Amino acid sequence: MKKIIITTILLVTLAACQNKLKNNSNNLNKISMNNQVEKLAIEKLLFSYRDALNASDVNKVLPLYTNDGVFMPSNAPSANGQQQIKDSYEFVFKAIQLNIEFYIDEIEIDGNFAFARTTSKGTTLIHANGQTVPEENRELFVFEKANGQWKIARYMFNKMK
């Protein structure tokens, strides 16, 4: 009789452990799937940013940033907040026309914040002299999710060569 009771207890315990593992596995799958959805949303934001740069369109760039966003271009002062960001991009777009592609190296998400490391490659048309030169940078983006949407909170780039 003791053997039957012990065997029954072991089987019930084993079944409970399997259910717990199955529930944990389902939760991990949901987290992983949600993470993929968030990464796709950030990728879409990055490609919208690329398109805005290539179009030299300040009005397409600004909504991609948070209200307190910071743009940190190389060899220029940081732009803090929407007005400074607008002024900075207007200056950039008057001087050059970009034709670039982004390559995503990494996206990491932690709650309502994320970062991405990217590289970009293409060409730059310099309006002052009409010369087209190679363009290649590495970038670091920090994103913030507000009201259900990812936005650029901080952006910095520098030349690779």
Side-chain angles (χ1 to χ4, degrees):
M1 183 69 162
K2 256 183 170 178
K3 284 184 179 181
I4 293 174
I5 292 173
I6 291 173
T7 303
T8 303
I9 291 171
L10 286 174
L11 288 174
V12 169
T13 303
L14 180 61
C17 288
Q18 286 178 333
N19 283 338
K20 181 81 169 172
L21 288 172
K22 184 178 179 182
N23 287 340
N24 285 343
S25 176
N26 286 341
N27 287 339
L28 288 175
N29 286 340
K30 287 178 188 175
I31 290 169
S32 178
M33 188 173 285
N34 187 45
N35 206 24
Q36 282 302 109
V37 169
E38 298 297 338
K39 282 185 178 184
L40 288 173
I42 290 170
E43 287 178 12
K44 183 178 176 186
L45 172 61
L46 286 167
F47 294 130
S48 293
Y49 180 67
R50 174 210 56 205
D51 295 344
L53 291 177
N54 287 338
S56 295
D57 193 335
V58 174
N59 294 321
K60 289 183 179 177
V61 169
L62 286 178
L64 304 177
Y65 274 89
T66 60
N67 288 334
D68 63 347
V70 179
F71 171 46
M72 297 170 276
S74 56
N75 302 318
S78 294
N80 299 293
Q82 289 281 309
Q83 186 59 53
Q84 287 184 10
I85 290 171
K86 179 181 181 203
D87 295 344
S88 187
Y89 279 99
E90 284 176 346
F91 176 81
V92 168
F93 293 153
K94 284 180 185 172
I96 64 170
Q97 169 68 50
L98 292 166
N99 182 14
I100 58 164
E101 183 61 55
F102 275 141
Y103 303 94
I104 300 169
D105 298 321
E106 174 183 24
I107 296 175
E108 293 294 330
I109 301 170
D110 188 5
N112 288 330
F113 288 93
F115 75 85
R117 284 186 317 106
T118 65
T119 56
S120 59
K121 193 171 187 174
T123 60
T124 297
L125 169 64
I126 302 167
H127 293 306
N129 62 16
Q131 184 180 8
T132 298
V133 296
E135 183 73 27
E136 188 173 2
N137 293 290
R138 60 182 161 208
E139 300 93 10
L140 181 64
F141 291 87
V142 177
F143 304 100
E144 183 177 357
K145 190 173 188 180
N147 299 322
Q149 283 196 304
W150 289 104
K151 301 257 183 173
I152 301 168
R154 306 292 184 268
Y155 170 55
M156 176 185 278
F157 69 93
N158 63 6
K159 301 285 183 200
M160 293 175 54
K161 296 179 182 179

